Structure formats: structure tokens, C-alpha cells
Amino acid sequence: MGVTRGARDLWARWRDPAQWSRRRVVGEIALAAGLALLTGAGEYLTGQGPVRAVLAGLAVAVLSSARRTLPATVLVAAGALDSATNGGLLLVVAAWSAGRRIKGVLRALTAFTASFVACEAFVLVENRSPVWIAFSVLLFLVMAVVPGITGRYWSQRRALLQTLRERNAQLLRERQMIARQARMRERQRIAQDMHDSLGHQLALIAVQTGALEVSRGLSEQQREAVGVLREASVAAMHELRAVVGVLKDGTVEEARAESGVVAGIDGLVESAAAAGTDVRLVRSGDPRPLGAPADHAAYRVVQEGLTNAFKHAPGARIGVGLYYEADSLVVEVVNGPPPGSTGAAAVSGGQGLTGLRERARLAGGMVHAGPAADGGFRLAGVFPYGAGPGTAPAEAGDDLRQQPPAPGPDEGGRAAGDGQVIDPLDPREEFRHIVSVRRSRGCLVGCGVGLLCLVVLAVVVALGIGKIFDEMRKASMDPGLYRSITVGTSEAEVRGRLPSGDSFLTSGVRGKGPAEPAGSQCLSLLSTDSPDDIDRDRVYRFCFKGGKLIEKREFVVKND
């Protein structure tokens, strides 16, 4: 049952859609095909036969495709395949992938050690020369350890960058929370001051005008004017209450939101007409609902337009228009020039118009203000229907739990964030993707092991290069030196001028070439001037007998 369950889990990981995007499928096919062709061609060109070349290519292709799902297993198999065939490139790719995907320093060290043992086991079967073994160790360090350390460093760098992004996002959210809280406290203070000062004054005005309205000494016209003043003070108290509510909790009263355009504007026009102003309201189109911010902004346009007309053009004719167009509501207030004026342009608004433009922008609309054709002034606003982009004030919600959009899946197919709301009060939940203390220690250990491997690699490379040069010095000679030596020269003199020849580089050419003279002792050396064919070596052979050089020969042998 355990084996079956493991096989099912392996198959599920293999078929995981996150592991096989379209781009990755194309890349994996190209990589596997390239590695297979190079390995098969190497096997065939070295005379191993077409069957072995095809099998080696297929093995490399399968292992290359499985390296993401089974990084440790593929690494060990690639180590064995590298020494048995020409699959060195597969070892580089498998080491890179294993360094990135094997979790834990101990697991990674075990996998690389097993791959090294598998590689050296095949080397010992073919050649047990200490120099050749040292060379194979050096080659494994270059082709496996260095790519593995590089891949692990690259993976840890990506994890560190992701951690820094999450920390930065958390700091930005905390800064926004602090800024919102500071604004809310300041708004509450302003709301309290407005309620205590303006509210008291407006209430006093409403009471005094109410008492004056019932006074017997007023004429009927004066009584109507005092009534308009009382209604205006009461309306101002309602407006102040709505503004205080917005400042305190960021919400607009539903009553105002519902009656801002319809009943609210009707009331403004009726109040202006009752005060003796020539004002007319014109409507066109079928009424349609607006979002609360746009509704409130439209009401403010009419209110500001009437106020400016009363202030800068007293006694002038005023027209208020509500035009329900196909996609937006157009609200305008147009006043003519004041009676007795010379036709000069009306004075434009100041802070009131600036506030209107900002309010309209937040509601998704726009405001226009400027002189009219007859010398008056026109204030108009255009507001879209529906909720619009500013359904709620920009700071109304104060959502302290808002989260940035979750990033897409990384290269390994794992989503870097699940997009769920994170409780900012629980830092463990917020930083669940951040490297833990144990993983941090493992990272430090891995960096230490990697640094140690690099130091060992540098030492081995230096020693290996020195050893190779020393072996070449013992085993090779210049063609000019070969031509300068003549047959019949004493053996001591010739050997004093020649290298010792005691090198593993000459072990493959001893006993090859023409037959040696009977009873002689021969010294075979490699020429520094080798043939163009890399599979062949030029050999100089010196044979001695009776203390003299009796023969010297030059021939070419094929490498094993």
C-alpha cells in the first residue's frame, strides 16, 4: 500500500498543471532533445555503436524530464551516467536543479555525496590511477558541485527577495493604518469643534428667527423673509449634522443621499423663490439614480451656484437645470448680469469652486465654471449614473485589512501568496512564507558548506593544474630535441637530456608501435607536436643497449 500511495503521489506531482505551463513544456522538450542528441552523438563518435548511443540518449531525455519531480534521484543517476557515458551536460543540469529544489542542507549533501560515489565507482572500474581519480574528482566538483551551489544560492536569493517584498508590503500597510488612524483622530477633533461652535450658533439663529417670526410687529412681507431665514438656518443645521457624521465615521446620511438631487434641489429653489429671487427650475429626460457621492456633489453644485448668484449678482434672473442625458446627469446654474450692470464679466468663484471640482473628481464627474454669453455666470457639473468610481469616500471605509494582490506562481509552480485576507494583528500569519529560524540556520550552514567546497575546489584545481603540468613535463619532449640526438650517443648523456618518462600519460603508448630491438631497454615519450587528429599521439622512442643509444623511432599511435 505504501508503494502504491507513493507512486500515486509521484504521478500527481508529475502531472501537476502548475509544473507544466506551455512555455515550460516547450523548454523542457528542447532541453531534453538537445541533451539526448549530444549524448548519443558523443557515444556514437567514440565507437560505442548505434544501439548504445540511442539508449544513452533516451536515458538522458527521461532523466532530464524528471529532474524537477525527483531532483535527488536524477542527480545520483546523472553521476553514474556521466562516468559510464558522455552525459556530462546532464550532470550539470541535474546538479543545478537539485541545488534549487532539494530542501534541507543535509538532504542536499547526502544527494551530492551519493552522486559522487556513483560517479567514482564507474571511474575505479575503468582506471585506478591516482592521478586519473584526482582528475575525476576535480571534474565532478566543476560539473556538479559548482552548479549545485550556484542553483542553491539563486533559489535562496529568490526566497530572500520574496521575503523582503512581503515585509515591505506589511510595512506599507502598517504605515497606511497609522496614517488613517491619525486622519480619523483629526477629523473627529474637527467634527467636535464644528458641532460645539457652529452648531450652537446655528441653533441660536433658528430659535431667534422662530421667535421673531411670530412677533406681532412685523408686516407680512417681513414675516415671510424671517421664515425663509429660519428655514435656511434649520437646513444649515441639517447640513452641519451630515458633515459632522462624515468627519466622524466617514458615512453620508441616507436621507441626504436619497434626496440630494430631487427633493434637496427643489427645496433650494423654493427657498430662493420665497426670498424674492427670480429663479426657475428646468428638468429634461427620465430621472435615473446616481451614486451617493455624485448625488451629493450635484446638490452642492446647485447650492454653490445659488450662493454665488445671491452674492455677486443680487436681483439677477437665475436658471437651474437638471438634464438626464444618456450616460450622465448635467446640473447647471446660470444667472444673468445684475440689474443696472454694464455687462462686465461675473466674478469667478474661489475656494468654493475649488472644493466643488475636487468633490466632482472623487465622484467620477467634472465641474465647469465661467462667464455666460449675456454677461452673467454659468456653473455646471456632469456626473455619471450608477455607483461610479467613487461610491464611497476615499477614506470612508478605513479598511485596515486590505491586502495587495497575490503574486503569480513562481518557477516551481507554487503560488507565492494565496490571496486571502491576513489578520494584521497576527504577525505569524502575516509572515507565514518567511524563512523560519531553523531554515535560516540551515541557510547559514549551506552557505558555510558551499564556501568550504569552493575553497577545496580552488585548492584541488591549483594542485591538479600543477600536477598536470608536471606530468606533461615528464612525458613530452620537443621535436627539435629529438632531431638533435644521434644514434650511438651514450645512454647517460641521452637520458640526461630527455625527460624521465615516468608518467601516466605515457602508460598508454608503452609496447605499441614497431617491435623493440632484442635485449634493449626503450623509453617512450610524447611529442609536443601532436597530429591534427585528437585521437592519435606522436611518439618518440629511444632504445638503449650496452650503455649506448642503438635506435630512435618516431611513430603515431591511436589513443585507447
Side-chain angles (χ1 to χ4, degrees):
M1 294 297 293
V3 176
T4 304
R5 186 180 297 107
R8 291 177 179 176
D9 294 340
L10 179 61
W11 180 248
R13 284 188 296 163
W14 184 283
R15 296 185 58 190
D16 185 7
Q19 297 282 349
W20 298 103
S21 62
R22 181 177 300 176
R23 179 179 178 183
R24 180 167 296 168
V25 168
V26 175
E28 288 295 324
I29 292 176
L31 179 62
L35 294 176
L37 288 176
L38 290 175
T39 303
E43 290 293 301
Y44 184 77
L45 292 177
T46 54
Q48 301 299 331
V51 176
R52 179 168 175 173
V54 172
L55 293 178
L58 290 177
V60 167
V62 172
L63 291 176
S64 175
S65 302
R67 74 183 193 281
R68 296 177 181 272
T69 308
L70 299 172
T73 304
V74 173
L75 177 63
V76 176
L81 196 63
D82 173 54
S83 59
T85 62
N86 295 296
L89 292 179
L90 174 63
L91 180 60
V92 175
V93 176
W96 165 271
S97 184
R100 287 190 54 205
R101 288 173 172 78
I102 297 179
K103 297 181 179 179
V105 178
L106 184 59
R107 293 181 180 179
L109 185 60
T110 303
F112 277 88
T113 303
S115 178
F116 172 74
V117 171
C119 180
E120 290 302 310
F122 282 90
V123 172
L124 292 176
V125 171
E126 297 181 356
N127 195 332
R128 297 186 180 183
S129 172
V131 177
W132 182 253
I133 294 175
F135 180 76
S136 65
V137 171
L138 175 62
L139 191 63
F140 182 83
L141 290 175
V142 173
M143 300 185 66
V145 176
V146 172
I149 294 177
T150 305
R152 196 163 191 83
Y153 165 77
W154 188 80
S155 178
Q156 290 176 352
R157 180 178 178 274
R158 283 176 59 93
L160 178 60
L161 290 177
Q162 178 64 24
T163 299
L164 292 178
R165 292 191 188 99
E166 292 180 359
R167 287 184 180 273
N168 182 60
Q170 175 69 7
L171 291 176
L172 290 177
R173 287 194 291 272
E174 290 178 354
R175 187 178 68 178
Q176 293 175 359
M177 290 165 55
I178 295 173
R180 289 193 189 97
Q181 291 173 358
R183 286 195 295 267
M184 290 178 64
R185 286 195 297 267
E186 183 64 17
R187 284 161 48 175
Q188 290 175 356
R189 185 190 66 79
I190 295 173
Q192 188 65 36
D193 290 344
M194 292 178 61
H195 180 271
D196 294 342
S197 59
L198 295 179
H200 173 73
Q201 299 296 334
L202 290 175
L204 183 61
I205 293 173
V207 172
Q208 294 294 333
T209 54
L212 184 61
E213 187 179 6
V214 298
S215 176
R216 297 180 179 180
L218 297 179
S219 64
E220 188 64 27
Q221 184 178 2
Q222 292 174 335
R223 196 181 308 279
E224 290 181 359
V226 171
V228 171
L229 183 60
R230 180 183 59 80
E231 292 178 357
S233 62
V234 172
M237 290 180 63
H238 287 298
E239 293 292 335
L240 177 62
R241 186 178 297 111
V243 171
V244 169
V246 172
L247 288 175
K248 282 186 175 181
D249 54 11
T251 58
V252 182
E253 290 185 353
E254 292 298 330
R256 172 58 59 194
E258 294 177 358
S259 62
V261 172
V262 182
I265 292 179
D266 288 342
L268 289 175
V269 173
E270 291 175 0
S271 298
T277 303
D278 184 9
V279 56
R280 297 181 181 179
L281 174 63
V282 179
R283 287 188 175 90
S284 66
D286 297 329
R288 296 176 59 180
L290 280 80
D295 197 31
H296 197 65
Y299 176 83
R300 291 300 185 190
V301 168
V302 177
Q303 189 180 49
E304 182 70 18
L306 292 175
T307 301
N308 290 338
F310 295 153
K311 184 187 300 182
H312 301 291
R317 184 180 65 259
I318 303 175
V320 179
L322 298 177
Y323 307 109
Y324 292 93
E325 303 294 342
D327 56 352
S328 59
L329 170 66
V330 179
V331 181
E332 69 173 4
V333 179
V334 182
N335 63 270
S341 67
T342 59
V347 180
S348 62
Q351 296 298 323
L353 292 180
T354 302
L356 274 182
R357 290 190 177 95
E358 180 64 19
R359 186 190 296 271
R361 184 185 67 82
L362 295 176
M366 58 181 296
V367 170
H368 167 76
D374 58 355
F377 195 80
R378 178 176 183 266
L379 176 64
V382 181
F383 303 97
Y385 296 126
T391 301
E395 302 171 359
D398 288 317
D399 182 12
L400 303 183
R401 295 165 62 85
Q402 65 180 0
Q403 302 295 318
D410 60 8
E411 186 176 354
R414 178 186 60 84
D418 52 12
Q420 298 178 354
V421 175
I422 299 174
D423 189 355
L425 300 180
D426 188 359
R428 295 174 299 176
E429 180 68 16
E430 174 68 20
F431 300 118
R432 65 186 183 276
H433 295 311
I434 294 180
V435 181
S436 63
V437 176
R438 180 178 300 177
R439 291 180 62 186
S440 300
R441 292 177 180 175
C443 178
L444 294 176
V445 174
C447 292
V449 173
L451 180 61
L452 179 61
C453 290
L454 289 178
V455 172
V456 173
L457 176 61
V459 173
V460 172
V461 168
L463 294 177
I465 292 175
K467 183 64 176 178
I468 290 175
F469 276 105
D470 184 61
E471 295 293 322
M472 291 178 62
R473 181 181 59 82
K474 295 179 181 179
S476 59
M477 64 176 296
D478 187 75
L481 178 59
Y482 171 79
R483 289 191 293 269
S484 66
I485 298 176
T486 59
V487 178
T489 308
S490 66
E491 180 178 357
E493 181 181 351
V494 174
R495 288 188 180 273
R497 298 177 61 185
L498 297 178
S500 64
D502 187 13
S503 172
F504 75 95
L505 297 176
T506 59
S507 60
V509 300
R510 294 170 186 170
K512 294 184 178 180
E516 298 178 0
S520 64
Q521 294 181 351
C522 297
L523 172 64
S524 297
L525 299 174
L526 299 177
S527 174
T528 56
D529 184 18
S530 299
D532 295 334
D533 190 354
I534 61 174
D535 290 337
R536 298 180 181 274
D537 290 325
R538 189 182 304 277
V539 180
Y540 297 139
R541 190 176 68 186
F542 301 89
C543 295
F544 304 95
K545 184 177 181 181
K548 293 184 179 182
L549 177 65
I550 63 172
E551 182 189 56
K552 71 173 187 177
R553 278 184 176 263
E554 175 184 353
F555 54 91
V556 177
V557 298
K558 184 178 180 181
N559 296 326
D560 292 334

